[in-house]
Amino acid sequence: MTMKTMKNRFPARSLLLVAGTAALMMGCNGSSSSDTTMVSDTTAFSAPPSDCLWVGPYVKENEGFNFAYPDSGAIYWSAAYTLPEDGAYITLEADFPYSRYMSFNSYRANTTPAQSLTDKNIIAEAGSINPFIDGAVRTDPSRRYLVTVKPGDPNDPANPSEDNTLYDATSAAGEEAVLIYRNYVPNIGADWTGDVGLPRVTLHLADGSTLQGEEACAAMSAGTDPLGIPFVPADTYETLRANFEPARETPAFRASYGTAFLFQCDFQGNCENNPPRNTAFYANADNQYLYSFLNQDLGDVVVIRGKIPGIPETLNDQEFFNENDLRYWSLCQNEYYSQAVKECLYDEQVFINPDGFYTIVTSEPENRPENADSDCGVGYLPWPDKGDGFSIVDGKTDAPDSAFLIVRNMLPADDFNQAIQNTMTAGDEASVLGDFMPKATYMSKAEFEDLGCAPYTSLAYDQL
């Protein structure tokens, strides 16, 4: 296959830079956030929250809210608030959305998830049903729930597990708590909330009195700005990028073990140790991720093949909810540094070829092959506009040929062993995922077009 010549950017380096990078990046891996640059983006958004507690939506269409690697198949809202006194807590009341999935996550100050309260684990109110239980009638209009959010560390034995309860990872009144509410794949025709609006807040005070709506938000100093963007240190990234190219001639998909290991492995070629898995950037605790760096210096077109595990189809307002191998799968094209998503394809949007595999192409729009469309059984993802998006930092320039792919696996079934969640050590991804492990290759536009309108017949998965 024709490839552009890749400049050699892998000079021998001492381990000093690796150690320094790891120290700088501990803020993204669970120890301290003091070295992680936090930038608040206060660009006005076009879709105001429908409840005073919630800020968003965090979607690519909403200017200023496209960061922290969002998925274009999902919609997110954040809440940042401070309980006014010891003994206070909040409750959130709503209807379950008409969608694939919903959850609440609480977060530590370093943007790592503390706890997740997932739809199927929420007990519906009396007289209502939970539409996310296997076999449930998804269209039943009686779908009310009530969730309690308390201060405290979910890992502290003093905070017992309770039904419909989430701990916010704060240690005392006066410390800011951060929640994210997620809604994936609303039914066709439904709004971003899944046609149920956002959860309504009640503040419960220590004396037993309550405040609701605007009064509650005022008492809790609820934030109205987007969350701060957790950037990796710009100078560290610039140094690494100037000397090392993370993309490989054969694209490598790796499970995410945190930014320090990503820098060590992808930018410096040392993938040998066994790091703990700890993903920051406001990640969803119900997901695990594969990622791959790409670079158009290696070829104008990237072709990705693999299998998608079974999922519960919900997009077309299906009447019943049927659990499957995974709750959700997606492949997203992102700017690595700015964390902006360009576009994603999620499971129900992907054409499955007769051999059981998908074929997805990503390129700059002007390099899109004519046969990279649904008529030929091929999914298409456009290249991110700004490459790595480094120009989000004043005085820095983009690497326009760069891109960052992310694969999501959500909530694997107990008997599905080939999910990303089952990987345990760096490098075991292919042996664990089997045919569900994506493989990719670089091609020219002409080479892909020469495959005709059934390219999957000429691209054997085992030969990639």
Side-chain angles (χ1 to χ4, degrees):
M1 293 182 179
T2 304
M3 291 186 179
K4 296 181 181 179
T5 302
M6 190 69 177
K7 47 188 175 290
N8 183 3
R9 291 166 61 182
F10 294 90
R13 301 306 243 194
S14 72
L15 292 180
L16 180 62
L17 184 56
V18 174
T21 299
L24 281 168
M25 294 316 304
M26 288 304 289
C28 291
N29 288 279
S31 298
S32 169
S33 61
S34 59
D35 291 311
T36 302
T37 305
M38 301 292 287
V39 177
S40 180
D41 187 333
T42 56
T43 305
F45 52 89
S46 58
S50 59
D51 184 280
C52 60
L53 182 65
W54 302 106
V55 176
Y58 292 79
V59 291
K60 67 185 183 66
E61 295 86 356
N62 196 3
E63 186 177 1
F65 285 75
N66 184 0
F67 62 88
Y69 306 109
D71 189 313
S72 61
I75 305 97
Y76 317 80
W77 290 266
S78 66
Y81 63 89
T82 304
L83 293 174
E85 61 185 20
D86 289 336
Y89 65 94
I90 67 171
T91 54
L92 302 170
E93 185 179 21
D95 285 354
F96 289 104
Y98 293 87
S99 63
R100 172 80 65 81
Y101 161 92
M102 57 79 68
S103 72
F104 299 93
N105 274 229
S106 59
Y107 289 86
R108 304 179 185 91
N110 62 8
T111 77
T112 57
Q115 189 178 16
S116 175
L117 185 57
T118 304
D119 50 29
K120 66 179 181 178
N121 297 322
I122 299 173
I123 299 172
E125 292 282 86
S128 290
I129 63 100
N130 182 334
F132 296 98
I133 301 298
D134 191 32
V137 179
R138 298 183 62 247
T139 53
D140 192 314
S142 300
R143 53 204 300 123
R144 184 62 52 91
Y145 68 87
L146 182 73
V147 162
T148 298
V149 185
K150 293 182 176 180
D153 181 352
N155 297 318
D156 187 339
N159 297 322
S161 176
E162 301 176 14
D163 289 341
N164 288 21
T165 298
L166 183 74
Y167 288 99
D168 68 10
T170 63
S171 57
E175 184 178 343
E176 186 176 68
V178 172
L179 308 178
I180 292 182
Y181 171 67
R182 290 176 165 87
N183 184 34
Y184 278 64
V185 192
N187 290 4
I188 282 181
D191 66 18
W192 278 340
T193 71
D195 278 351
V196 297
L198 292 172
R200 296 165 291 282
V201 63
T202 298
L203 171 62
H204 299 255
L205 298 170
D207 63 3
S209 62
T210 61
L211 298 173
Q212 292 184 315
E214 295 289 348
E215 286 187 316
C217 290
M220 297 188 296
S221 303
T224 57
D225 292 332
L227 297 174
I229 302 175
F231 285 136
V232 301
D235 290 343
T236 299
Y237 175 72
E238 187 172 46
T239 299
L240 287 169
R241 195 184 77 173
N243 292 284
F244 301 94
E245 172 53 56
R248 301 291 184 263
E249 289 189 4
T250 299
F253 283 88
R254 309 185 197 280
S256 177
Y257 286 93
T259 305
F261 184 73
L262 178 150
F263 276 12
Q264 172 193 306
C265 179
D266 293 277
F267 282 85
Q268 299 178 295
N270 178 8
C271 306
E272 297 304 317
N273 66 0
N274 186 23
R277 176 171 282 151
N278 203 347
T279 305
F281 300 106
Y282 300 111
N284 184 353
D286 288 333
N287 283 333
Q288 284 298 337
Y289 311 87
L290 298 175
Y291 67 88
S292 183
F293 285 96
L294 305 176
N295 194 302
Q296 289 191 113
D297 281 345
L298 291 164
D300 294 330
V301 171
V302 181
V303 186
I304 307 113
R305 297 213 73 207
K307 283 188 173 181
I308 297 175
I311 53 91
E313 295 182 359
T314 61
L315 181 62
N316 292 307
D317 204 23
Q318 281 85 349
E319 183 176 4
F320 296 100
F321 186 83
N322 296 306
E323 283 284 9
N324 214 313
D325 296 331
L326 292 182
R327 179 70 69 87
Y328 179 83
W329 179 99
S330 69
L331 176 67
C332 295
Q333 184 62 286
N334 307 263
E335 297 172 4
Y336 172 70
Y337 194 86
S338 75
Q339 309 157 23
V341 64
K342 174 62 178 179
E343 191 58 73
C344 302
L345 289 171
Y346 61 83
D347 40 53
E348 285 191 83
Q349 295 177 319
V350 179
F351 182 89
I352 304 300
N353 296 306
D355 63 354
F357 289 79
Y358 62 83
T359 304
I360 295 174
V361 163
T362 183
S363 70
E364 289 190 347
E366 60 268 28
N367 291 324
R368 178 177 181 171
E370 291 186 3
N371 54 340
D373 61 16
S374 58
D375 289 342
C376 294
V378 178
Y380 180 75
L381 287 173
W383 206 263
D385 296 334
K386 297 181 179 179
D388 64 351
F390 198 29
S391 63
I392 197 170
V393 179
D394 289 343
K396 305 302 183 182
T397 59
D398 297 323
D401 288 334
S402 297
F404 189 63
L405 285 180
I406 296 177
V407 179
R408 282 172 174 80
N409 281 189
M410 177 190 287
L411 291 176
D414 291 341
D415 59 354
F416 181 67
N417 298 318
Q418 292 172 282
I420 303 169
Q421 283 83 345
N422 296 103
T423 60
M424 296 298 172
T425 60
D428 71 354
E429 295 88 352
S431 62
V432 172
L433 271 66
D435 287 349
F436 302 106
M437 178 72 173
K439 293 184 179 181
T441 189
Y442 289 94
M443 304 180 75
S444 69
K445 177 182 177 181
E447 285 173 327
F448 191 81
E449 289 178 341
D450 286 344
L451 299 176
C453 199
Y456 61 86
T457 62
S458 303
L459 289 172
Y461 174 79
D462 292 341
Q463 295 176 356
L464 293 183

